[in-house]
């Protein structure tokens, strides 16, 4: 663990996980360890005039955490980064309430994933093409990240959870990240994997929208626990 002094609210984390290349199976010897978490303030902190931050960041050491309500809202919108926190196999800390949150994770999966995974990838590839036209260098790691989102979104829409590890796509994505493919070849992959995402949407067993009522009940449950005791639930 880093020796840096963290914001005291990091001590209120109910869940802390590792995402990024180490969770994707794309890490190397020089890869950072990207830690993400969810924190629940005490009732006094939540009710005070000062309030609590929605997001905590410690950039030099790649740590970040969301306040529970903010995290849940993002998850309901099918934010891919937030969903990765719920499905990553690398869980470093989970309190009893954190484990309840993990058990709730499939509730957040819906057909909205097509827009968030596919839409983001399309926007980013458009930027990559503009950079090429302007004769600017391409961030191949970012290109691989966009492809990974298309593959993950397709698997999720097919009802396979939200797979974080890239599995059989590892070698292809590593090749893209190392710049071993031309932009035309990468764009062909994008088109192929985008079609797979569209097909997965048409056949998806997921609901059109997530179960907001169940998530709201969980948040109220968490707030009641925080009001009942200052101990981390």
């Amino acid at each position: 663990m880093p020796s840096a002094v963290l914001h005291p609210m990091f001590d209120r984390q109910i869940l802390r996980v590792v995402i990024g290349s180490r969770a994707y199976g794309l890490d190397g010897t020089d890869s950072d360890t990207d830690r993400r978490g969810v924190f629940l303030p005490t009732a006094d902190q939540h009710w005070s005039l000062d309030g609590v931050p929605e997001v905590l960041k410690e950039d030099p050491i790649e740590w970040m955490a969301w306040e529970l309500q903010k995290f849940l809202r993002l998850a309901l919108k099918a934010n891919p980064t937030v969903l990765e926190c719920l499905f990553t196999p690398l869980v470093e800390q989970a309190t009893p309430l954190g484990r309840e949150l993990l058990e709730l994770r499939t509730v957040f999966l819906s057909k909205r994933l097509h827009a968030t995974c596919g839409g983001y990838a399309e926007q980013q590839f458009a930027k990559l093409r503009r950079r090429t036209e302007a004769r600017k260098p391409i961030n191949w790691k970012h290109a691989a990240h966009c492809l990974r989102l298309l593959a993950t979104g397709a698997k999720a829409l097919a009802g396979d959870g939200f797979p974080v590890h890239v599995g059989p796509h590892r070698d292809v994505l590593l090749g893209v990240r190392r710049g071993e493919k031309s932009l035309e070849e990468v764009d062909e992959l994008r088109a192929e994997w985008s079609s797979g995402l569209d097909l997965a949407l048409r056949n998806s067993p997921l609901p059109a929208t997530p179960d907001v009522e169940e998530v709201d009940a969980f948040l109220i449950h968490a707030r009641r626990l925080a009001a009942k005791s200052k101990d981390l639930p």
Side-chain angles (χ1 to χ4, degrees):
M1 292 293 183
S3 58
V5 177
L6 298 173
H7 190 288
M9 208 66 74
F10 275 106
D11 291 337
R12 295 289 303 175
Q13 287 182 100
I14 61 170
L15 180 66
R16 187 180 71 239
V17 301
V18 173
I19 63 168
S21 59
R22 297 194 184 279
Y24 307 151
L26 298 173
D27 54 307
T29 55
D30 59 344
S31 295
D32 295 324
T33 300
D34 301 321
R35 289 184 170 87
R36 299 292 181 266
V38 184
F39 67 94
L40 176 70
T42 66
D44 288 350
Q45 291 168 331
H46 186 68
W47 294 333
S48 72
L49 287 173
D50 291 335
V52 296
E54 288 189 329
V55 181
L56 305 174
K57 289 184 179 181
E58 292 292 341
D59 291 330
I61 55 173
E62 304 296 332
W63 279 36
M64 181 176 173
W66 293 270
E67 197 278 324
L68 179 59
Q69 181 174 333
K70 177 69 171 181
F71 182 87
L72 296 177
R73 287 185 180 278
L74 290 172
L76 286 169
K77 293 177 181 178
N79 179 290
T81 302
V82 166
L83 291 177
E84 285 173 9
C85 295
L86 294 173
F87 285 86
T88 176
L90 305 180
V91 178
E92 291 192 334
Q93 170 193 329
T95 68
L97 184 64
R99 290 193 291 273
E100 288 184 44
L101 176 57
L102 291 176
E103 291 171 3
L104 193 66
R105 62 189 183 179
T106 56
V107 170
F108 298 99
L109 300 180
S110 72
K111 291 178 180 176
R112 288 178 178 174
L113 283 161
H114 182 269
T116 54
C117 292
Y120 178 81
E122 289 296 330
Q123 291 172 6
Q124 296 308 307
F125 271 107
K127 290 181 180 179
L128 290 175
R129 286 190 286 269
R130 288 196 294 271
R131 289 188 67 84
T132 300
E133 293 167 0
R135 299 182 183 279
K136 294 181 179 179
I138 292 177
N139 185 333
W140 293 109
K141 180 178 180 180
H142 193 57
H145 170 66
C146 293
L147 287 173
R148 182 187 59 79
L149 272 183
L150 291 173
T152 298
K155 293 284 285 184
L157 285 168
D160 294 331
F162 193 81
V164 175
H165 194 283
V166 297
H169 300 301
R170 183 175 184 273
D171 289 342
V172 171
L173 292 175
L174 284 175
V176 172
R177 196 167 77 169
R178 289 192 295 259
E180 295 172 358
K181 294 182 180 296
S182 67
L183 184 60
E184 290 75 17
E185 290 174 313
V186 173
D187 201 41
E188 288 176 4
L189 284 172
R190 176 208 57 78
E192 178 186 342
W193 293 10
S194 290
S195 295
L197 185 73
D198 294 342
L199 178 62
L201 175 65
R202 290 195 292 271
N203 299 320
S204 179
L206 296 181
T209 57
D211 191 336
V212 177
E213 289 186 4
E214 188 169 354
V215 175
D216 194 41
F218 172 78
L219 178 60
I220 293 170
H221 163 62
R223 294 282 190 239
R224 284 173 174 160
L225 291 176
K228 192 174 183 179
S229 172
K230 291 186 177 182
D231 294 334
L232 192 60

